[in-house]
Coordinates of all heavy atoms in Angstrom, one line a residue:
M1 N -24.9 -95.9 125.5 CA -24.7 -95.7 124.1 C -24.1 -94.3 124.0 O -24.5 -93.4 124.6 CB -26.0 -95.8 123.3 CG -25.9 -95.3 122.0 SD -27.4 -95.1 121.0 CE -28.7 -95.2 122.1
R2 N -23.1 -94.3 123.0 CA -22.5 -93.0 122.7 C -22.5 -92.8 121.2 O -22.0 -93.7 120.5 CB -21.0 -93.1 123.2 CG -20.6 -91.9 124.0 CD -19.2 -92.2 124.6 NE -18.2 -92.4 123.6 CZ -16.9 -92.2 123.8 NH1 -16.5 -92.0 125.0 NH2 -16.0 -92.4 122.9
K3 N -22.9 -91.7 120.7 CA -22.9 -91.4 119.3 C -22.5 -90.0 119.1 O -22.9 -89.1 119.8 CB -24.3 -91.6 118.7 CG -24.7 -93.1 118.8 CD -25.7 -93.4 117.7 CE -26.1 -94.9 117.8 NZ -26.3 -95.4 116.5
Q4 N -21.7 -89.8 118.0 CA -21.3 -88.4 117.7 C -22.4 -87.7 117.0 O -23.0 -88.2 116.0 CB -20.0 -88.5 116.8 CG -19.4 -87.1 116.5 CD -18.2 -87.2 115.7 OE1 -17.8 -88.2 115.2 NE2 -17.4 -86.1 115.7
L5 N -22.7 -86.4 117.4 CA -23.7 -85.6 116.8 C -23.2 -84.7 115.7 O -23.8 -84.6 114.6 CB -24.4 -84.8 117.8 CG -25.2 -85.6 118.9 CD1 -25.8 -84.6 119.9 CD2 -26.3 -86.4 118.3
N6 N -22.1 -84.1 115.9 CA -21.5 -83.1 114.9 C -20.0 -83.0 115.2 O -19.5 -83.4 116.2 CB -22.3 -81.8 115.0 CG -22.1 -81.1 116.3 OD1 -21.1 -81.0 116.9 ND2 -23.3 -80.6 116.9
T7 N -19.4 -82.3 114.2 CA -18.0 -82.0 114.3 C -17.7 -80.7 113.6 O -18.4 -80.4 112.6 CB -17.1 -83.2 113.8 OG1 -15.8 -82.9 114.1 CG2 -17.3 -83.4 112.3
K8 N -16.7 -80.0 114.0 CA -16.3 -78.8 113.3 C -14.8 -79.0 113.0 O -14.0 -79.4 113.9 CB -16.5 -77.6 114.2 CG -18.0 -77.2 114.4 CD -18.1 -76.0 115.2 CE -19.6 -75.7 115.4 NZ -19.9 -74.5 116.2
E9 N -14.4 -78.8 111.8 CA -13.0 -79.0 111.4 C -12.5 -77.7 110.8 O -13.2 -76.9 110.2 CB -13.0 -80.1 110.3 CG -13.4 -81.4 110.7 CD -13.3 -82.4 109.5 OE1 -12.9 -82.1 108.4 OE2 -13.7 -83.6 109.8
Q10 N -11.2 -77.5 111.0 CA -10.5 -76.4 110.5 C -9.3 -76.9 109.7 O -8.6 -77.8 110.2 CB -10.0 -75.4 111.5 CG -11.1 -74.7 112.2 CD -10.6 -73.6 113.2 OE1 -9.4 -73.3 113.2 NE2 -11.4 -73.1 114.0
W11 N -9.1 -76.4 108.5 CA -8.0 -76.9 107.6 C -7.2 -75.7 107.1 O -7.7 -74.6 106.9 CB -8.6 -77.6 106.4 CG -9.3 -78.8 106.7 CD1 -10.6 -79.0 107.1 CD2 -8.8 -80.1 106.6 NE1 -10.9 -80.3 107.3 CE2 -9.8 -81.0 107.0 CE3 -7.6 -80.7 106.2 CZ2 -9.6 -82.4 107.0 CZ3 -7.4 -82.0 106.2 CH2 -8.4 -82.9 106.6
F12 N -5.9 -75.9 107.0 CA -5.0 -74.9 106.4 C -4.8 -75.2 105.0 O -4.7 -76.3 104.5 CB -3.6 -75.0 107.2 CG -2.6 -74.2 106.5 CD1 -2.4 -72.9 106.8 CD2 -1.8 -74.8 105.5 CE1 -1.3 -72.2 106.2 CE2 -0.7 -74.1 104.9 CZ -0.5 -72.8 105.3
A13 N -4.8 -74.1 104.1 CA -4.5 -74.3 102.7 C -3.7 -73.1 102.3 O -3.9 -72.0 102.7 CB -5.8 -74.3 101.9
S14 N -2.7 -73.4 101.5 CA -1.8 -72.3 101.1 C -2.3 -71.6 99.8 O -1.7 -70.5 99.5 CB -0.4 -72.9 100.8 OG -0.5 -73.9 99.8
S15 N -3.3 -72.1 99.2 CA -3.9 -71.4 98.0 C -5.4 -71.5 98.0 O -6.0 -72.4 98.7 CB -3.3 -72.0 96.7 OG -3.8 -73.3 96.5
E16 N -6.0 -70.7 97.3 CA -7.5 -70.7 97.2 C -8.0 -72.0 96.5 O -9.0 -72.5 96.9 CB -8.0 -69.5 96.4 CG -9.5 -69.3 96.5 CD -10.0 -68.0 95.8 OE1 -9.2 -67.3 95.3 OE2 -11.2 -67.8 95.9
E17 N -7.2 -72.5 95.5 CA -7.6 -73.7 94.9 C -7.6 -74.9 95.8 O -8.5 -75.7 95.8 CB -6.6 -74.0 93.7 CG -6.7 -73.0 92.5 CD -5.9 -71.7 92.8 OE1 -5.0 -71.7 93.6 OE2 -6.3 -70.7 92.2
E18 N -6.6 -74.9 96.7 CA -6.5 -76.0 97.7 C -7.7 -75.9 98.7 O -8.3 -76.9 99.1 CB -5.2 -75.9 98.5 CG -4.0 -76.4 97.7 CD -2.7 -76.3 98.6 OE1 -2.7 -75.4 99.5 OE2 -1.8 -77.0 98.3
A19 N -8.0 -74.7 99.1 CA -9.2 -74.4 100.0 C -10.5 -74.9 99.3 O -11.3 -75.6 100.0 CB -9.2 -73.0 100.3
N20 N -10.7 -74.6 98.1 CA -11.9 -75.0 97.4 C -11.9 -76.5 97.2 O -13.0 -77.2 97.3 CB -12.0 -74.4 96.0 CG -12.4 -72.9 96.1 OD1 -13.2 -72.5 97.0 ND2 -11.8 -72.1 95.3
K21 N -10.8 -77.2 97.0 CA -10.7 -78.6 96.9 C -11.1 -79.3 98.2 O -11.8 -80.3 98.2 CB -9.3 -79.0 96.5 CG -9.1 -80.5 96.2 CD -7.7 -80.9 95.8 CE -7.6 -82.4 95.6 NZ -6.3 -82.8 95.2
I22 N -10.7 -78.7 99.3 CA -11.1 -79.3 100.7 C -12.6 -79.2 100.8 O -13.2 -80.2 101.2 CB -10.4 -78.5 101.8 CG1 -8.9 -78.7 101.8 CG2 -11.0 -78.8 103.1 CD1 -8.1 -77.8 102.7
V23 N -13.2 -78.1 100.4 CA -14.7 -78.0 100.5 C -15.4 -79.0 99.6 O -16.3 -79.7 100.0 CB -15.1 -76.6 100.2 CG1 -16.6 -76.5 100.2 CG2 -14.6 -75.6 101.3
D24 N -14.9 -79.1 98.4 CA -15.4 -80.0 97.4 C -15.4 -81.5 97.9 O -16.3 -82.2 97.7 CB -14.8 -79.9 96.0 CG -15.1 -78.6 95.3 OD1 -16.1 -77.9 95.7 OD2 -14.3 -78.2 94.4
E25 N -14.2 -81.9 98.4 CA -14.1 -83.2 99.0 C -15.0 -83.5 100.1 O -15.6 -84.6 100.2 CB -12.6 -83.5 99.4 CG -11.7 -83.6 98.3 CD -10.2 -83.7 98.7 OE1 -9.9 -83.6 99.9 OE2 -9.3 -83.8 97.8
A26 N -15.2 -82.5 101.0 CA -16.2 -82.6 102.1 C -17.6 -82.8 101.6 O -18.4 -83.6 102.1 CB -16.0 -81.5 103.0
K27 N -17.9 -82.0 100.5 CA -19.3 -82.1 99.9 C -19.5 -83.5 99.3 O -20.6 -84.0 99.5 CB -19.5 -81.0 98.9 CG -19.7 -79.6 99.4 CD -19.9 -78.6 98.3 CE -20.1 -77.2 98.8 NZ -20.2 -76.3 97.7
S28 N -18.5 -84.0 98.7 CA -18.7 -85.4 98.1 C -18.7 -86.5 99.2 O -19.4 -87.5 99.0 CB -17.7 -85.6 97.0 OG -16.4 -85.7 97.6
E29 N -17.9 -86.3 100.2 CA -17.9 -87.3 101.3 C -19.1 -87.3 102.2 O -19.6 -88.3 102.7 CB -16.6 -87.2 102.1 CG -16.4 -88.3 103.1 CD -15.0 -88.2 103.8 OE1 -14.2 -87.4 103.4 OE2 -14.8 -88.9 104.8
F30 N -19.6 -86.1 102.5 CA -20.7 -85.9 103.4 C -21.8 -85.0 102.7 O -22.0 -83.9 103.2 CB -20.2 -85.2 104.7 CG -19.1 -85.9 105.4 CD1 -17.8 -85.3 105.4 CD2 -19.3 -87.0 106.1 CE1 -16.8 -85.9 106.0 CE2 -18.3 -87.6 106.8 CZ -17.0 -87.1 106.7
P31 N -22.4 -85.5 101.7 CA -23.4 -84.7 100.9 C -24.5 -84.2 101.7 O -25.0 -83.0 101.6 CB -23.8 -85.6 99.8 CG -23.5 -87.0 100.2 CD -22.4 -86.9 101.1
D32 N -25.1 -85.0 102.6 CA -26.2 -84.6 103.4 C -25.8 -84.0 104.8 O -26.6 -83.3 105.4 CB -27.2 -85.8 103.6 CG -27.7 -86.3 102.3 OD1 -27.9 -85.5 101.4 OD2 -27.9 -87.5 102.2
E33 N -24.6 -84.3 105.2 CA -24.2 -84.0 106.6 C -23.5 -82.6 106.7 O -23.4 -82.0 107.7 CB -23.3 -85.0 107.2 CG -24.0 -86.4 107.4 CD -24.0 -87.3 106.2 OE1 -23.4 -86.9 105.2 OE2 -24.6 -88.4 106.3
L34 N -22.9 -82.2 105.6 CA -22.2 -80.9 105.6 C -23.2 -79.7 105.6 O -23.9 -79.5 104.7 CB -21.3 -80.7 104.3 CG -20.4 -79.5 104.3 CD1 -19.4 -79.5 105.4 CD2 -19.7 -79.4 102.9
V35 N -23.3 -79.1 106.8 CA -24.3 -78.0 107.0 C -23.7 -76.6 106.8 O -24.4 -75.7 106.8 CB -25.0 -78.2 108.3 CG1 -25.8 -79.4 108.3 CG2 -24.0 -78.1 109.5
G36 N -22.4 -76.5 106.8 CA -21.8 -75.2 106.7 C -20.3 -75.2 106.4 O -19.6 -76.2 106.8
H37 N -19.8 -74.2 105.7 CA -18.4 -74.1 105.4 C -18.0 -72.7 105.2 O -18.9 -71.9 104.8 CB -18.0 -75.0 104.2 CG -18.5 -74.5 102.9 ND1 -19.7 -74.8 102.4 CD2 -17.9 -73.7 102.0 CE1 -19.9 -74.2 101.3 NE2 -18.8 -73.6 101.0
S38 N -16.8 -72.4 105.4 CA -16.3 -71.0 105.1 C -14.8 -71.1 104.7 O -14.1 -72.0 105.2 CB -16.5 -70.1 106.3 OG -15.7 -70.4 107.3
I39 N -14.4 -70.2 103.9 CA -13.0 -70.0 103.5 C -12.6 -68.6 103.7 O -13.2 -67.7 103.2 CB -12.8 -70.4 102.0 CG1 -13.2 -71.8 101.7 CG2 -11.4 -70.1 101.6 CD1 -13.2 -72.2 100.2
N40 N -11.6 -68.4 104.6 CA -11.2 -67.1 105.0 C -9.7 -66.9 104.7 O -8.9 -67.8 105.0 CB -11.4 -66.8 106.5 CG -12.8 -66.9 106.9 OD1 -13.7 -66.3 106.2 ND2 -13.2 -67.6 107.9
L41 N -9.4 -65.8 104.0 CA -8.0 -65.4 103.8 C -7.4 -64.8 105.0 O -8.0 -63.9 105.6 CB -7.9 -64.5 102.6 CG -6.5 -64.0 102.2 CD1 -5.6 -65.1 101.8 CD2 -6.6 -62.9 101.1
K42 N -6.3 -65.4 105.5 CA -5.7 -64.9 106.7 C -4.3 -64.5 106.4 O -3.7 -64.9 105.4 CB -5.7 -66.0 107.8 CG -7.1 -66.5 108.2 CD -7.7 -65.5 109.2 CE -9.0 -66.1 109.8 NZ -9.5 -65.3 110.8
S43 N -3.7 -63.8 107.3 CA -2.2 -63.5 107.1 C -1.6 -63.3 108.5 O -2.2 -63.1 109.5 CB -2.1 -62.2 106.4 OG -2.6 -61.1 107.1
N44 N -0.3 -63.6 108.5 CA 0.5 -63.4 109.7 C 1.9 -63.0 109.2 O 2.1 -62.7 108.0 CB 0.6 -64.7 110.5 CG 1.2 -65.9 109.8 OD1 1.9 -65.8 108.9 ND2 0.8 -67.1 110.3
K45 N 2.9 -62.9 110.1 CA 4.2 -62.4 109.7 C 4.9 -63.3 108.6 O 5.7 -62.8 107.9 CB 5.0 -62.1 110.9 CG 5.4 -63.4 111.7 CD 6.2 -63.0 112.9 CE 6.4 -64.3 113.7 NZ 7.1 -64.0 115.0
A46 N 4.4 -64.5 108.5 CA 5.1 -65.5 107.6 C 4.4 -65.4 106.2 O 4.9 -65.9 105.2 CB 5.0 -66.9 108.1
G47 N 3.2 -64.8 106.1 CA 2.6 -64.6 104.8 C 1.1 -64.9 104.9 O 0.5 -64.8 106.0
E48 N 0.4 -65.1 103.7 CA -1.0 -65.3 103.7 C -1.3 -66.8 103.5 O -0.5 -67.6 103.0 CB -1.6 -64.6 102.5 CG -1.5 -63.1 102.6 CD -2.2 -62.3 101.5 OE1 -2.3 -62.9 100.4 OE2 -2.6 -61.2 101.7
Y49 N -2.5 -67.2 104.0 CA -3.0 -68.5 103.9 C -4.5 -68.5 104.0 O -5.1 -67.5 104.3 CB -2.4 -69.4 105.1 CG -2.8 -69.0 106.5 CD1 -3.9 -69.6 107.1 CD2 -2.2 -68.0 107.2 CE1 -4.3 -69.2 108.3 CE2 -2.6 -67.6 108.4 CZ -3.7 -68.2 109.0 OH -4.1 -67.8 110.3
Y50 N -5.1 -69.7 103.7 CA -6.5 -69.8 103.8 C -6.9 -70.7 104.9 O -6.3 -71.8 105.1 CB -7.1 -70.3 102.4 CG -6.9 -69.3 101.3 CD1 -5.8 -69.2 100.6 CD2 -8.0 -68.5 101.0 CE1 -5.6 -68.3 99.6 CE2 -7.9 -67.6 100.0 CZ -6.7 -67.5 99.3 OH -6.6 -66.6 98.3
L51 N -7.9 -70.3 105.7 CA -8.4 -71.1 106.8 C -9.8 -71.6 106.3 O -10.7 -70.8 106.1 CB -8.6 -70.3 108.1 CG -9.1 -71.0 109.3 CD1 -8.1 -72.2 109.7 CD2 -9.3 -70.1 110.5
V52 N -9.9 -72.9 106.2 CA -11.2 -73.5 105.8 C -11.9 -74.1 107.0 O -11.3 -74.9 107.7 CB -10.9 -74.6 104.7 CG1 -12.2 -75.3 104.3 CG2 -10.1 -74.1 103.6
K53 N -13.1 -73.7 107.2 CA -13.9 -74.3 108.3 C -15.1 -75.1 107.8 O -15.8 -74.6 106.9 CB -14.4 -73.2 109.2 CG -13.4 -72.4 109.9 CD -14.0 -71.3 110.8 CE -12.9 -70.5 111.5 NZ -13.4 -69.5 112.4
L54 N -15.2 -76.3 108.3 CA -16.3 -77.2 107.9 C -17.2 -77.5 109.1 O -16.6 -77.8 110.2 CB -15.8 -78.5 107.3 CG -14.8 -78.4 106.2 CD1 -14.2 -79.7 105.8 CD2 -15.5 -77.7 105.0
E55 N -18.5 -77.5 109.0 CA -19.4 -78.0 110.0 C -20.2 -79.1 109.5 O -20.9 -79.0 108.5 CB -20.3 -76.8 110.5 CG -21.2 -77.2 111.7 CD -22.0 -76.1 112.2 OE1 -21.8 -75.0 111.7 OE2 -22.9 -76.4 113.0
I56 N -20.0 -80.3 110.2 CA -20.7 -81.5 109.8 C -21.6 -82.0 110.9 O -21.2 -82.1 112.0 CB -19.6 -82.6 109.4 CG1 -18.6 -82.1 108.4 CG2 -20.3 -83.9 109.0 CD1 -17.4 -82.9 108.2
K57 N -22.8 -82.2 110.5 CA -23.9 -82.6 111.5 C -24.3 -84.0 111.1 O -24.9 -84.3 110.1 CB -25.0 -81.7 111.5 CG -26.0 -81.9 112.6 CD -27.1 -80.8 112.6 CE -28.0 -81.0 113.8 NZ -28.9 -79.9 113.8
F58 N -24.0 -85.0 112.0 CA -24.3 -86.4 111.7 C -25.8 -86.8 112.1 O -26.4 -87.5 111.4 CB -23.4 -87.3 112.4 CG -22.0 -87.1 112.0 CD1 -21.0 -86.5 112.8 CD2 -21.5 -87.5 110.7 CE1 -19.7 -86.4 112.4 CE2 -20.2 -87.4 110.3 CZ -19.3 -86.8 111.2
N59 N -26.3 -86.2 113.2 CA -27.6 -86.6 113.7 C -28.0 -85.7 114.8 O -27.2 -84.8 115.2 CB -27.6 -88.1 114.2 CG -28.9 -88.7 114.1 OD1 -30.0 -88.1 114.0 ND2 -28.9 -90.0 114.0
T60 N -29.2 -85.8 115.3 CA -29.7 -85.0 116.4 C -30.1 -86.0 117.5 O -30.3 -87.2 117.2 CB -30.9 -84.2 116.0 OG1 -32.0 -85.1 115.7 CG2 -30.6 -83.3 114.9
P61 N -30.2 -85.6 118.8 CA -30.6 -86.5 119.8 C -31.9 -87.1 119.5 O -32.1 -88.3 119.7 CB -30.6 -85.6 121.1 CG -29.6 -84.5 120.8 CD -29.7 -84.3 119.3
A62 N -32.9 -86.3 119.1 CA -34.2 -86.8 118.7 C -34.1 -87.9 117.6 O -34.8 -88.9 117.7 CB -35.2 -85.7 118.3
G63 N -33.3 -87.6 116.6 CA -33.2 -88.6 115.6 C -32.6 -89.9 116.0 O -33.0 -91.0 115.6
I64 N -31.6 -89.9 116.9 CA -31.0 -91.1 117.5 C -32.0 -91.9 118.3 O -32.2 -93.1 118.1 CB -29.8 -90.7 118.3 CG1 -28.7 -90.2 117.4 CG2 -29.3 -92.0 119.1 CD1 -27.5 -89.7 118.2
M65 N -32.8 -91.1 119.1 CA -33.8 -91.8 120.0 C -34.9 -92.4 119.1 O -35.3 -93.5 119.4 CB -34.3 -90.8 121.0 CG -33.3 -90.4 122.0 SD -33.8 -89.0 123.1 CE -34.9 -89.9 124.2
E66 N -35.3 -91.7 118.1 CA -36.4 -92.3 117.2 C -35.9 -93.5 116.5 O -36.6 -94.5 116.4 CB -36.8 -91.2 116.2 CG -37.6 -90.1 116.8 CD -37.9 -89.0 115.9 OE1 -37.5 -89.1 114.7 OE2 -38.5 -88.0 116.3
S67 N -34.6 -93.5 116.0 CA -34.1 -94.7 115.3 C -33.9 -95.9 116.2 O -34.1 -97.0 115.8 CB -32.8 -94.3 114.6 OG -31.8 -94.1 115.5
E68 N -33.6 -95.6 117.5 CA -33.5 -96.7 118.5 C -34.8 -97.3 118.7 O -34.9 -98.5 118.9 CB -32.9 -96.1 119.8 CG -31.4 -95.8 119.7 CD -30.6 -97.1 119.4 OE1 -30.8 -98.1 120.0 OE2 -29.7 -96.9 118.6
L69 N -35.9 -96.5 118.8 CA -37.2 -97.0 119.0 C -37.6 -97.9 117.8 O -38.2 -99.0 118.0 CB -38.2 -95.9 119.2 CG -38.2 -95.1 120.5 CD1 -39.1 -93.9 120.4 CD2 -38.5 -96.0 121.7
I70 N -37.3 -97.5 116.6 CA -37.7 -98.3 115.4 C -36.9 -99.6 115.4 O -37.4 -100.6 115.2 CB -37.4 -97.4 114.2 CG1 -38.4 -96.3 114.1 CG2 -37.4 -98.3 112.9 CD1 -38.1 -95.3 113.0
N71 N -35.6 -99.5 115.7 CA -34.7 -100.7 115.8 C -35.2 -101.7 116.8 O -35.2 -102.9 116.6 CB -33.3 -100.3 116.0 CG -32.7 -99.7 114.8 OD1 -33.1 -99.8 113.7 ND2 -31.6 -98.9 115.0
D72 N -35.6 -101.2 118.0 CA -36.1 -102.0 119.1 C -37.3 -102.8 118.6 O -37.5 -104.0 118.9 CB -36.4 -101.2 120.3 CG -35.1 -100.8 121.0 OD1 -34.0 -101.3 120.7 OD2 -35.1 -99.9 121.9
S73 N -38.3 -102.1 118.0 CA -39.5 -102.7 117.6 C -39.2 -103.7 116.5 O -39.9 -104.8 116.4 CB -40.6 -101.7 117.1 OG -40.1 -101.0 116.0
E74 N -38.3 -103.4 115.6 CA -37.9 -104.4 114.5 C -37.3 -105.6 115.1 O -37.6 -106.7 114.7 CB -37.0 -103.7 113.5 CG -37.7 -102.7 112.6 CD -36.7 -102.0 111.6 OE1 -35.5 -102.3 111.8 OE2 -37.2 -101.2 110.8
D75 N -36.5 -105.5 116.1 CA -35.8 -106.6 116.8 C -36.9 -107.5 117.4 O -36.8 -108.7 117.3 CB -34.8 -106.1 117.8 CG -33.6 -105.5 117.2 OD1 -33.3 -105.7 116.0 OD2 -32.8 -104.8 118.0
E76 N -37.9 -106.9 118.0 CA -39.0 -107.7 118.6 C -39.7 -108.5 117.6 O -40.0 -109.7 117.8 CB -39.9 -106.8 119.4 CG -39.3 -106.2 120.7 CD -40.3 -105.2 121.4 OE1 -41.4 -105.0 120.9 OE2 -39.8 -104.6 122.3
I77 N -40.0 -107.9 116.5 CA -40.7 -108.6 115.4 C -39.8 -109.7 114.9 O -40.3 -110.8 114.6 CB -41.0 -107.6 114.2 CG1 -42.1 -106.6 114.7 CG2 -41.5 -108.3 113.0 CD1 -42.3 -105.4 113.7
D78 N -38.5 -109.5 114.7 CA -37.6 -110.5 114.2 C -37.6 -111.7 115.2 O -37.6 -112.8 114.8 CB -36.2 -110.0 114.0 CG -36.1 -109.0 112.8 OD1 -37.0 -109.1 111.9 OD2 -35.1 -108.3 112.7
E79 N -37.5 -111.4 116.5 CA -37.5 -112.5 117.5 C -38.7 -113.3 117.4 O -38.7 -114.5 117.5 CB -37.2 -111.9 118.9 CG -35.9 -111.3 119.1 CD -35.7 -110.6 120.4 OE1 -36.6 -110.6 121.2 OE2 -34.6 -110.0 120.6
D80 N -39.9 -112.6 117.3 CA -41.2 -113.3 117.2 C -41.2 -114.2 116.0 O -41.6 -115.4 116.1 CB -42.3 -112.4 117.2 CG -42.5 -111.6 118.5 OD1 -42.0 -112.1 119.5 OD2 -43.2 -110.6 118.5
W81 N -40.8 -113.7 114.9 CA -40.8 -114.5 113.7 C -39.8 -115.7 113.8 O -40.2 -116.8 113.4 CB -40.3 -113.6 112.5 CG -40.4 -114.3 111.2 CD1 -41.6 -114.5 110.4 CD2 -39.4 -115.0 110.5 NE1 -41.3 -115.2 109.3 CE2 -39.9 -115.5 109.3 CE3 -38.0 -115.1 110.7 CZ2 -39.1 -116.2 108.4 CZ3 -37.3 -115.8 109.8 CH2 -37.8 -116.4 108.7
T82 N -38.7 -115.5 114.4 CA -37.7 -116.6 114.5 C -38.2 -117.7 115.4 O -38.1 -118.9 115.1 CB -36.4 -116.1 115.1 OG1 -35.9 -115.0 114.3 CG2 -35.3 -117.2 115.2
E83 N -38.9 -117.3 116.5 CA -39.5 -118.3 117.4 C -40.6 -119.1 116.7 O -40.6 -120.3 116.9 CB -40.0 -117.6 118.7 CG -38.9 -117.0 119.6 CD -39.5 -116.2 120.7 OE1 -40.7 -116.1 120.9 OE2 -38.7 -115.7 121.5
E84 N -41.4 -118.4 116.0 CA -42.5 -119.1 115.3 C -41.9 -120.0 114.2 O -42.4 -121.2 114.1 CB -43.4 -118.1 114.6 CG -44.3 -117.3 115.6 CD -45.1 -116.2 114.9 OE1 -45.1 -116.2 113.6 OE2 -45.7 -115.4 115.6
T85 N -40.9 -119.6 113.5 CA -40.3 -120.5 112.5 C -39.7 -121.7 113.1 O -39.9 -122.8 112.6 CB -39.2 -119.7 111.7 OG1 -39.8 -118.5 111.2 CG2 -38.6 -120.5 110.6
E86 N -39.0 -121.5 114.2 CA -38.3 -122.7 114.9 C -39.4 -123.7 115.4 O -39.3 -124.9 115.2 CB -37.5 -122.2 116.0 CG -36.2 -121.5 115.6 CD -35.4 -121.0 116.7 OE1 -35.9 -121.0 117.9 OE2 -34.3 -120.4 116.5
T87 N -40.5 -123.1 115.9 CA -41.6 -124.0 116.4 C -42.2 -124.8 115.2 O -42.4 -126.0 115.3 CB -42.7 -123.1 117.1 OG1 -42.0 -122.4 118.1 CG2 -43.8 -124.0 117.6
D88 N -42.4 -124.1 114.1 CA -43.0 -124.8 112.9 C -42.1 -125.9 112.4 O -42.6 -126.9 112.0 CB -43.3 -123.7 111.8 CG -44.4 -122.8 112.2 OD1 -45.2 -123.1 113.1 OD2 -44.5 -121.7 111.5
E89 N -40.8 -125.6 112.4 CA -39.8 -126.6 111.9 C -39.8 -127.8 112.8 O -39.8 -129.0 112.4 CB -38.4 -126.0 111.8 CG -38.3 -125.0 110.6 CD -36.9 -124.3 110.7 OE1 -36.1 -124.6 111.6 OE2 -36.7 -123.5 109.8
N90 N -39.9 -127.6 114.1 CA -39.8 -128.7 115.1 C -41.1 -129.5 114.9 O -41.1 -130.8 115.0 CB -39.7 -128.2 116.5 CG -38.3 -127.6 116.8 OD1 -37.4 -127.9 116.1 ND2 -38.3 -126.7 117.8
E91 N -42.2 -128.9 114.7 CA -43.5 -129.6 114.5 C -43.4 -130.5 113.3 O -43.9 -131.6 113.3 CB -44.7 -128.7 114.5 CG -45.0 -128.0 115.8 CD -46.1 -127.0 115.7 OE1 -46.6 -126.8 114.6 OE2 -46.4 -126.4 116.8
S92 N -42.8 -129.9 112.2 CA -42.7 -130.7 111.0 C -41.9 -131.9 111.1 O -42.2 -133.0 110.6 CB -42.1 -129.8 109.9 OG -43.0 -128.7 109.6
E93 N -40.8 -131.8 111.9 CA -39.9 -132.9 112.1 C -40.6 -134.0 112.9 O -40.4 -135.2 112.7 CB -38.6 -132.5 112.8 CG -37.7 -131.6 111.9 CD -36.5 -131.1 112.7 OE1 -36.4 -131.4 113.9 OE2 -35.7 -130.3 112.1
D94 N -41.4 -133.6 113.9 CA -42.1 -134.5 114.7 C -43.2 -135.3 113.9 O -43.4 -136.5 114.2 CB -42.9 -133.8 115.9 CG -41.9 -133.2 116.9 OD1 -40.7 -133.7 116.9 OD2 -42.3 -132.3 117.7
E95 N -43.8 -134.7 112.9 CA -44.8 -135.3 112.1 C -44.2 -136.4 111.3 O -44.9 -137.4 110.9 CB -45.5 -134.3 111.3 CG -46.4 -133.3 112.1 CD -47.0 -132.2 111.2 OE1 -46.8 -132.2 110.0 OE2 -47.7 -131.4 111.8
E96 N -43.0 -136.3 110.8 CA -42.4 -137.2 109.9 C -42.0 -138.5 110.7 O -42.2 -139.4 111.1 CB -41.1 -136.7 109.3 CG -41.3 -135.5 108.4 CD -40.0 -134.9 107.9 OE1 -38.9 -135.4 108.3 OE2 -40.1 -133.9 107.3

């Protein structure tokens, strides 16, 4: 199994308004996952720009392993219930 834990993104913006919009969109798209952001004014020989950095954390290794344990136990319960239901239905058909 392979699952992404986190990601760091960098965005270019030509104005402070654009930079703030990038952060606002990330906050609305990833309300619980966005763990950090920064907006830095930079400059080079071509002029000034804003560098927006976003840090998004999707899960932790422990969280993934715990959710897998829960899912495995739920699958076992579902399988047991399905087997019991099929057995009950077969017995009902035999009685008729």
Side-chain angles (χ1 to χ4, degrees):
M1 164 187 18
R2 227 171 66 161
K3 295 205 177 215
Q4 184 175 14
L5 296 177
N6 59 47
T7 186
K8 293 180 181 181
E9 298 179 357
Q10 291 187 11
W11 294 83
F12 168 89
S14 57
S15 69
E16 187 174 4
E17 293 80 25
E18 287 178 337
N20 287 322
K21 185 177 179 183
I22 291 169
V23 172
D24 290 340
E25 288 173 356
K27 284 181 180 178
S28 65
E29 187 175 349
F30 305 106
D32 298 326
E33 293 86 3
L34 184 65
V35 294
H37 70 276
S38 66
I39 300 173
N40 297 313
L41 178 62
K42 301 281 189 171
S43 63
N44 59 25
K45 62 183 177 185
E48 293 184 335
Y49 64 95
Y50 291 85
L51 182 63
V52 180
K53 295 181 181 182
L54 305 173
E55 185 175 352
I56 303 166
K57 186 173 189 177
F58 299 108
N59 210 334
T60 62
I64 291 171
M65 293 172 75
E66 288 171 5
S67 69
E68 287 298 316
L69 288 174
I70 291 170
N71 289 339
D72 287 346
S73 65
E74 287 177 356
D75 288 344
E76 289 174 7
I77 291 170
D78 289 343
E79 288 174 8
D80 291 343
W81 184 82
T82 303
E83 289 173 5
E84 288 175 10
T85 304
E86 289 174 355
T87 304
D88 292 343
E89 289 174 358
N90 290 339
E91 288 176 2
S92 297
E93 290 174 3
D94 291 342
E95 290 175 4
E96 294 175 3

